[in-house]
Amino acid sequence: MSRDVARAAAQWLALLESGAATERDHAALQHWRDSHPQHEQTWQKAQTLRQRFSDLPQALAMASLDRPQPGRRAVLKRALGLAALVPTAWLISRQLPIEAWRADLHTSTGERKRVALADGGSLQLNTATAVDVDLAQRRITLVDGELALDVPGAAPMTVQTRYGELKVSQAEVCVRQLAAGCRVSVLKGTVQVRDLGGQTATLQGGQQARLKTGGLGAWVPFDVLQLGWRDGVLTAQNQPLGDFLRELQRYRPGVLRWEPSLEALRVTGSFRLDDTDRILDLLASSLGFRVQARTRYWVTLS
């Protein structure tokens, strides 16, 4: 189950449990379920789990019918609410592993962090990122998310990922851990990559490749603007709006949804990540769509 699909299923489930879902919401959910087999599989798991947990509140409700004191009803109401959230919490836990909570350094959604290293280098964490740091062994373990590492000296720093490891010295690299591999982008210098099978390869500055269970994929050149998050900027150059919004979602807590008709609109510009509400307002005014906010954490574009 991918992180993005699990998160989406949790958000849909939370909307249905809230009782605020409209006919349009139900239609959008059906469209999401139909758009990919994994969406439907994940949704069915969520429904099965919700049904499994629904029995307990019903039993509690029956047992409390003969004692309807206001205080007891309030306690029962809280119990019902907690039980309804269990499936959502379970889905979220599948895409936010407990290792991330226990990590040495971590950032929340929308947060970015920069740490100076003793050798004059730096470690930056992007949104929703967790790392373990062992400076004595000069090893950084990317538990989840995305990091940027600058190692100016010759003493190498190892970056451990779920799909292999990197040796970084006199180089700058960005590593983003994805559902099916890591995206390794070398900004300058050279980085040695070792996959899970023990095979090694070298990436040069300006090169980017996917490190997966099966090894390192072919390298491609990349645009350094895609790594603008290090400066708090999200940049698009004639990018489909759907792709831009999916990237913007990483920096916003809560739910952001949009109508399928908006997917193909094109976006060009640089946007400050410290105010994602303003980004949506700017896009709405330039591209002609509406921003409908139920709350700060539930926004629909139409």
Side-chain angles (χ1 to χ4, degrees):
M1 182 192 308
S2 77
R3 288 166 47 85
D4 290 342
V5 173
R7 176 181 286 117
Q11 291 169 348
W12 281 116
L13 187 57
L15 175 59
L16 295 190
E17 295 287 357
S18 73
T22 65
E23 289 186 9
R24 178 177 291 182
D25 291 328
H26 283 282
L29 169 58
Q30 190 62 52
H31 178 269
W32 178 80
R33 290 169 58 185
D34 294 340
S35 64
H36 195 282
Q38 190 181 35
H39 294 185
E40 180 63 21
Q41 292 167 7
T42 305
W43 181 251
Q44 291 303 324
K45 289 180 181 178
Q47 292 292 83
T48 299
L49 193 70
R50 182 172 64 171
Q51 182 62 43
R52 187 180 304 164
F53 280 98
S54 69
D55 295 338
L56 178 60
Q58 290 170 0
L60 285 173
M62 291 299 293
S64 67
L65 286 177
D66 61 336
R67 291 196 288 182
Q69 298 94 334
R72 188 174 179 83
R73 282 201 301 267
V75 171
L76 176 61
K77 185 176 181 180
R78 287 195 294 271
L80 287 168
L82 288 172
L85 289 175
V86 166
T88 301
W90 177 84
L91 283 171
I92 291 173
S93 72
R94 292 298 298 270
Q95 51 90 24
L96 290 176
I98 195 167
E99 290 84 356
W101 305 343
R102 295 175 174 172
D104 295 333
L105 295 172
H106 51 80
T107 53
S108 59
T109 299
E111 181 186 11
R112 299 176 307 282
K113 183 178 295 184
R114 182 187 182 98
V115 179
L117 302 178
D119 60 3
S122 65
L123 171 66
Q124 288 180 268
L125 308 185
N126 199 2
T127 176
T129 295
V131 300
D132 285 324
V133 180
D134 185 345
L135 293 181
Q137 298 295 321
R138 295 188 62 77
R139 175 178 293 272
I140 296 170
T141 300
L142 178 58
V143 178
D144 213 17
E146 183 173 18
L147 64 78
L149 178 65
D150 182 11
V151 182
M157 183 80 78
T158 299
V159 178
Q160 183 70 48
T161 78
R162 291 196 293 267
Y163 305 95
E165 66 178 29
L166 319 175
K167 293 287 186 182
V168 185
S169 62
Q170 296 179 318
E172 187 174 357
V173 64
C174 285
V175 186
R176 178 172 172 179
Q177 197 146 256
L178 303 165
C182 280
R183 188 178 70 194
V184 181
S185 307
V186 181
L187 283 79
K188 64 181 181 183
T190 60
V191 172
Q192 187 180 75
V193 182
R194 181 185 180 92
D195 65 25
L196 295 177
Q199 298 296 312
T200 61
T202 300
L203 289 178
Q204 307 287 336
Q207 294 180 347
Q208 176 179 282
R210 292 290 182 97
L211 179 60
K212 300 178 288 187
T213 304
L216 184 69
W219 69 267
V220 296
F222 71 94
D223 184 351
V224 71
L225 291 179
Q226 70 179 260
L227 304 177
W229 65 265
R230 297 170 303 144
D231 300 313
V233 174
L234 187 59
T235 299
Q237 293 183 331
N238 197 33
Q239 185 178 23
L241 178 61
D243 292 345
F244 181 85
L245 292 174
R246 276 182 280 276
E247 187 67 15
L248 183 64
Q249 273 185 312
R250 300 175 62 212
Y251 301 90
R252 287 183 58 87
V255 178
L256 174 63
R257 299 184 298 127
W258 55 92
E259 293 183 351
S261 59
L262 301 181
E263 280 276 341
L265 298 178
R266 313 300 288 194
V267 181
T268 296
S270 294
F271 306 87
R272 297 295 308 178
L273 284 168
D274 51 11
D275 190 347
T276 58
D277 286 338
R278 176 165 172 75
I279 293 176
L280 293 178
D281 289 340
L282 288 171
L283 292 173
S285 62
S286 61
L287 297 178
F289 60 78
R290 288 193 305 160
V291 179
Q292 298 171 295
R294 283 200 179 97
T295 71
R296 166 72 175 80
Y297 302 101
W298 198 284
V299 176
T300 302
L301 312 180
S302 61

